[in-house]
Amino acid sequence: MGAGPAGAPVDFDPTRWRDYPNGPGFLTALADGRAPRAVWTALPGENWPARLAEAVAATLHSGRGVVVAVADARDLDRLDAALRECLGPDRHVALSAAVGPAERYRRFLAVRRGRVRAVIGTRAVVFAPAADLGLVAIWDDGDDLHAEPRAPYPHAREVLLTRAQLASAAVLVGGYARSAEAQQLLETGWARPIEAARDTLRRRAPAVHATSDDLRDQVAARLPTLAWRAARDALAAGAPVLVQVPRRGYLPAVACAQCRTPARCPHCRGPLSLSGSASTAVCRWCGRAAAGYACPVCGARRLRAAVVGARRTAEELGRAFAGVPVWTSGRDGVLATVPDEPGLAVATPGAEPVPDGAGYGAVLLLDTWALLTRADLRAGEEALRRWLAAAALARPGVAGGRVVVVADGGLSPVQALIRFDPGWLAARELAERRELGFPPAVRMASLTGTPDSVADLLAAAHLPDGVQPLGPVPAGDGQERMLLRTTRSGGAALASALREAAGVRSARKAPDPVRVQVDPLELL
């Protein structure tokens, strides 16, 4: 994309944010060159790329620059198209590895030289040198794709918030869900909420029903009666149906058909899986086939499903709804869209295709236990985030699409989904973490390495007062993990001490490295 006139006036329409009581005022403040800070909870079915484009246009109207980060290439393509429609050609650039190094560098130079003031991209875009920064925005900040997996492991949200503080720029943290970190911004008064009134939400939100996964209630293709009827009615009305399955593959985990013992590889003890109905069990770790597998407990040779993947679910749904096309979207191929016609879209979380028409007639959330029972501090928050992203694709209104979640309706994440109230769950999560002393209520550093290397780094570190060590605990492969906890105000001093200690070990050419992460995304 070429560079356009950075100083040319840009029009914007604040009334397009009228579903949010303080939304138009937020855009007006951007256009006036002020720096409001907000956490935006998008309505179900909201055209979020168009709303972000309006925020970008309002900022460009004031003559200042914009940086917007999204989680993946699909979101980037949608936002890119919305900005072209809202701003016209050559008013923004999208930094993406998909365009190739030469074109990406040309776009980077256009931003660096001030010829283009608006830049969008995935997590690396947070370092783009936008001139006279007026707004930083991030969509779906709870997505783990925003966390850089390479040292020093920055998170896109934290980098953008730091840049906004240094440049006195506006902030917009948006999503269908709300992370505990975003809730922290609201409770400290650093940011204000942008959310719809409850009566507006009731008009826009689809009906959500919870049902159990009791085997006695399953009609076909592992669907409880309520889910099967919702899918049948939506197909009969000429609408597509979305089925979210949290595991990819065919049968990603199998067990002995007689005694239910999980099937493990005889060579490396890794889990066995099946890639098709007539395939041989293969280890997911070492890739070896286990053609002559026999259960070490009872000696039986037959296997049964322990976990059902997306491809097996698609196969079962194809038999249950004969003559209806079945589309799959996941690791083997992600669909951007599906046609507005009767059909079943089976997708893993994050790969849900966007329907071309008004939305899905039904959204079925299966195997929810796989998300809710993860050994992860963020399990409930992550489950709700993925469910809301899928439910937001349903046809709006209680008379529109139906969402069926196969889970206990008394669980907190399920209650938040039924009410479309992610703020309630975020406040609850943050309160629990504050009581237990976990991020974001405190600052925490994770040190992972061999026992000797971790001890060496701690000996070289001049830790500030008030740092509480937790551990060490085994981390596998002969390594251990140590956690260091301190107050939020002491986070900078802790990070500085660990950086200096790592520098000392590097200068001494210490043989074993230590992985140092501040506020790690996952705390198992």
Side-chain angles (χ1 to χ4, degrees):
M1 181 180 301
V10 176
D11 294 328
F12 72 100
D13 184 4
T15 62
R16 295 187 180 181
W17 280 68
R18 59 183 175 272
D19 287 329
Y20 309 95
N22 53 347
F26 178 79
L27 293 194
T28 302
L30 292 178
D32 291 342
R34 288 176 280 162
R37 298 179 294 228
V39 174
W40 167 40
T41 305
L43 282 165
E46 180 69 273
N47 184 0
W48 63 264
R51 299 293 80 78
L52 279 179
E54 289 290 335
V56 172
T59 308
L60 295 182
H61 182 85
S62 71
R64 303 187 71 184
V66 184
V67 175
V68 184
V70 294
D72 55 37
R74 286 199 316 154
D75 288 347
L76 182 60
D77 290 341
R78 294 183 64 191
L79 181 58
D80 189 27
L83 283 170
R84 282 198 303 271
E85 181 178 350
C86 180
L87 304 178
D90 303 330
R91 300 306 301 264
H92 78 283
V93 295
L95 297 182
S96 168
V99 301
E103 176 60 22
R104 189 177 187 182
Y105 188 54
R106 277 193 290 268
R107 298 182 183 188
F108 176 86
L109 289 179
V111 177
R112 181 68 182 86
R113 293 167 179 169
R115 294 202 299 267
V116 175
R117 292 187 179 272
V119 55
I120 63 174
T122 50
R123 60 176 177 257
V125 78
V126 298
F127 299 105
D132 192 16
L133 194 60
L135 171 68
V136 297
I138 184 170
W139 172 256
D140 198 11
D141 69 298
D143 195 316
D144 57 7
L145 292 176
H146 284 298
E148 173 60 55
R150 294 173 288 272
Y153 319 106
H155 193 287
R157 177 189 57 246
E158 303 308 317
V159 176
L160 289 178
L161 294 181
T162 302
R163 290 190 66 180
Q165 188 77 10
L166 295 174
S168 298
V171 174
L172 182 60
V173 179
Y176 292 118
R178 183 184 296 174
S179 65
E181 286 76 9
Q183 183 66 26
Q184 175 93 354
L185 299 178
L186 295 176
E187 293 191 8
T188 58
W190 194 86
R192 296 179 58 192
I194 294 180
E195 53 191 356
R198 292 304 298 180
D199 57 344
T200 303
L201 180 61
R202 280 190 287 269
R203 290 196 306 270
R204 294 281 297 273
V208 181
H209 306 277
T211 184
S212 70
D213 58 355
D214 191 340
L215 293 176
R216 294 168 296 182
D217 185 45
Q218 292 185 3
V219 178
R222 299 184 298 113
L223 294 182
T225 303
L226 184 61
W228 183 82
R229 288 176 178 170
R232 180 197 60 186
D233 295 345
L235 295 171
V241 173
L242 173 63
V243 183
Q244 186 192 76
V245 182
R247 300 289 182 89
R248 64 179 186 269
Y250 190 77
L251 294 179
V254 291
C256 173
Q258 183 167 313
C259 69
R260 305 298 192 266
T261 300
R264 314 291 292 188
C265 175
H267 301 281
C268 70
R269 305 304 299 164
L272 297 181
S273 65
L274 292 173
S275 59
S277 58
S279 64
T280 301
V282 175
C283 177
R284 289 169 51 197
W285 288 1
C286 68
R288 297 182 182 179
Y293 175 81
C295 177
V297 176
C298 67
R301 295 184 176 274
R302 294 180 59 246
L303 297 173
R304 69 183 298 274
V307 176
V308 179
R311 283 197 290 115
R312 173 62 179 265
T313 302
E315 181 182 288
E316 294 177 353
L317 289 173
R319 290 196 297 264
F321 297 95
V324 176
V326 179
W327 310 292
T328 59
S329 181
R331 183 175 181 179
D332 296 334
V334 177
L335 298 177
T337 61
V338 294
D340 188 26
E341 62 184 38
L344 295 158
V346 182
T348 51
E352 299 89 353
V354 178
D356 287 335
Y360 289 104
V363 174
L364 313 181
L365 307 173
L366 306 183
D367 297 338
T368 54
W369 56 268
L371 295 175
L372 292 170
T373 59
R374 292 170 54 203
D376 189 343
L377 179 68
R378 302 174 183 270
E381 176 186 311
E382 177 68 6
L384 179 62
R385 187 187 70 81
R386 295 184 176 190
W387 295 342
L388 286 173
L393 299 176
R395 295 187 173 183
V398 293
R402 298 175 65 189
V403 178
V404 179
V405 53
V406 184
D408 181 0
L411 297 175
S412 298
V414 180
Q415 282 292 308
L417 174 66
I418 292 173
R419 301 198 303 266
F420 269 90
D421 192 359
W424 171 78
L425 183 69
R428 182 188 178 105
E429 288 278 327
L430 182 59
E432 291 178 352
R433 295 186 200 179
R434 188 178 292 120
E435 182 177 352
L436 297 173
F438 284 114
V442 299
R443 292 293 190 186
M444 189 171 285
S446 169
L447 313 179
T448 306
T450 63
D452 290 341
S453 63
V454 172
D456 182 45
L457 187 143
L458 289 174
H462 301 287
L463 297 179
D465 295 336
V467 174
Q468 178 186 8
L470 302 174
V473 296
D477 296 329
Q479 296 191 330
E480 67 180 21
R481 189 182 197 188
M482 172 73 81
L483 298 177
L484 303 176
R485 180 165 60 189
T486 187
T487 61
R488 288 190 60 82
S489 60
L494 174 60
S496 178
L498 293 176
R499 182 178 65 249
E500 292 176 2
V504 170
R505 295 190 77 246
S506 177
R508 293 203 312 251
K509 300 187 183 300
D512 297 320
V514 177
R515 185 181 188 188
V516 181
Q517 291 179 279
V518 177
D519 286 349
L521 189 63
E522 295 183 354
L523 286 173
L524 300 179

